[in-house]
Amino acid sequence: MATDAGARNTDGPRWAAVVVNFEAGPLLVHCVDSLLADTSAGPMELVVVDNASEDDSIASLFAEHPVVRVVRSPGNVGYARAANLGAAATKAPVIAVLNPDTVVHPGTAGALVSRLEREPRLAACGPRLHNTDGSDYPSARTMPSIPIAIGHGLLGLWWPTNWFTARYRQLDADPSVPRLVDWVSGAAIWLRRRALDDVGGWDERYFMYLEDTDLCWRLREAGWEVVYEPAGVVVHVQGASASRRPYRMLLEHHRSAWRFARARLTGARAVLLPFVAVYFSARAVMAMTDHAWRSSRSQAPG
């Protein structure tokens, strides 16, 4: 029987990896290869949850790793529900949930699992995320106030180093130094099962985007801690699945932001919700217009 991550688990694997796949193509095999190669935390449970992919990603996975367990969702149920399905299919006290377009560096699992075992109030641990060019992706962030959220939303599309975005993404923090944070990216996140159970798991009302922000917020509201741990490194290919459906994903992003705003703006602050709804509607139009403009420029001759 699995024990809590605060003590070493002697009855089974110390950790489980759940990979949520949706038409990731060959990237899924690369992700699984990297997980199997990282033996720094000892044996693990490995589950791939497939959201009704119609490409050959699962067939390619079975060709390379025929014994990997695959849980098939009843449809494209979204990231949060798939993460819950994967967690339910495993028993280890630590659960890592990863995008299929990630590659885990050797030693990452050992560093993050060990930290969760050492610190009993720690619920979520995020590694250092690298872009494919080796640069750092700002995966550890601040829970934004209303002014920072508005400033980041309005300026971040065209001026990514503005003051609001820098505060939100903690761009002035040294990426080589571990620290307590408000939330970490769900592209690769190591979670204490007991803490996840304590808050009822991932909120399945989020189809895609902000499910990680919401989860870390609820964990911290329940008294748990979230940490950024750069001793673990994961390379992330941004938007491998989302890039094929950019406008739908932009809409989903803003729908999730609206859902999260409704969860946070309660009591007297609920009076702000009509203004927030107008803001997110306008911002979605701006984001789609910006995407169309950038796409037209990239396809123009010369």
Side-chain angles (χ1 to χ4, degrees), residues 74-147:
N76 187 5
V77 298
Y79 198 79
R81 184 176 176 190
N84 283 338
L85 289 172
T90 62
K91 296 182 179 179
V94 172
I95 310 165
V97 180
L98 303 105
N99 283 12
D101 55 355
T102 56
V103 174
V104 178
H105 281 206
T108 296
L112 275 62
V113 172
S114 294
R115 179 141 191 194
L116 282 159
E117 289 175 342
R118 291 195 307 268
E119 301 180 29
R121 296 309 305 165
L122 185 56
C125 196
R128 186 173 187 172
L129 286 188
H130 281 171
N131 299 308
T132 54
D133 62 1
S135 61
D136 282 289
Y137 174 78
S139 59
R141 302 191 179 188
T142 300
M143 202 66 69
S145 63
I146 292 175

Side-chain angles (χ1 to χ4, degrees), residues 3 9 13 23 29 39 63 87 103 131 136 185 188-189 195 198 200 209 217 245 253 272 288 295-296:
T3 61
N9 179 26
E23 300 183 356
V29 173
T39 60
V103 174
N131 299 308
D136 282 289
S185 170
I189 184 171
D198 185 34
Y209 302 113
W217 174 61
R245 301 167 180 83
H253 197 159
L272 298 173
M288 288 188 285
S295 297
S296 66

